[in-house]
Amino acid sequence: MTGLAFLIPIALGMGLLGLVAFLWSMREGQYDDMDGAANRILIDDDEPLEQDA
C-alpha cells in the first residue's frame, strides 16, 4: 500500500508532463503542415552529376 503512495503521484506527474509537452508542441506549430513533410521526401531536387569525358 505504501508503494502506491509513491507510484500514483509519479504517474500523475508523468502524465501532466506529457500533456504540457503536447500543448507546447501545438503552440509552436509542430503539427501545422502534416502533408508537406510527407511530400517533400518525394521531390527530387538533386542535380545529376556531370561526368568528365
Side-chain angles (χ1 to χ4, degrees):
M1 194 66 179
T2 60
L4 289 177
F6 293 112
L7 292 177
I8 290 175
I10 290 172
L12 290 174
M14 289 177 66
L16 183 64
L17 183 66
L19 179 64
V20 168
F22 174 72
L23 292 175
W24 174 77
S25 68
M26 288 292 291
R27 187 171 18 157
E28 292 294 318
Q30 232 12 60
Y31 304 108
D32 285 347
D33 185 17
M34 295 300 286
D35 294 328
N39 292 334
R40 196 174 313 131
I41 197 168
L42 300 174
I43 298 171
D44 186 22
D45 57 355
D46 294 335
E47 296 177 12
L49 298 175
E50 295 179 15
Q51 295 180 350
D52 293 330

